Amino acid sequence: LERGALLATLNATPAGERLYRALGFAETGEGQTWLVPAGTIRQPPSPLQVAFALAISGGDALPEDPDLARRLLPNGDTPLGHASRFDQPEAARQLLAMGTVPDVAAVWQLGLIEEARALMRLSPASLDIRRGTQGVTPLHFAIFSGDQEFLVELLDAGASPFVRDGHFDSDA
């Protein structure tokens, strides 16, 4: 107020919400905050990459571009992870049909259980790949989310409980 500001805004993780409420902040709604850490991007995304990511998140028909579907997004996320984040199962189905980067946890999270099982069989190496900003494997994800069925399926498919995550350097 001393400098003329009339309001302050912030974005909070679910873990931070209680703290900010205690400090007097009030929730005004939900929105999207986009962050691309400098260390994860070598060059700005092309307009085509931006349009592709927007189509995935918006539930729009995806352009038939297997090359884009088979690459990580500029922030390091998989196209399937992006579809999962925005609860877009139809976009995930389109991506799977284009041969996208395997992301078992994202497909499972969308409720596409049979498709996730097929990915486990077709791409066993993907079970131990670290993804996302935390660098977690599908097994880490199953544990974090408390999904016992997914956990058992991953172990039965051969996921290693010894792969360490990229954030805490902890195994599953």
Side-chain angles (χ1 to χ4, degrees), residues 6 30 34 42 49 65 75 93 100 121 162 167:
L6 300 178
E30 292 190 23
W34 294 89
R42 290 181 208 93
Q49 289 171 310
D65 192 332
N75 68 352
R93 286 186 181 96
T100 193
R121 288 188 305 274
F162 305 109
H167 188 70

Side-chain angles (χ1 to χ4, degrees), residues 101-105 116-131 136-139 154 157-160 163:
V101 178
D103 191 335
V104 174
R117 288 178 177 140
L119 276 178
M120 288 184 224
R121 288 188 305 274
L122 295 172
S123 184
S126 70
L127 298 177
D128 295 329
I129 293 176
R130 300 181 320 177
R131 301 246 190 252
V136 297
T137 66
L139 200 55
L154 288 165
S160 171
V163 177

Side-chain angles (χ1 to χ4, degrees), residues 16-32:
E17 288 180 17
R18 285 195 339 238
L19 168 68
Y20 295 118
R21 275 197 190 94
L23 294 173
F25 282 86
E27 184 176 332
T28 59
E30 292 190 23
Q32 292 297 319

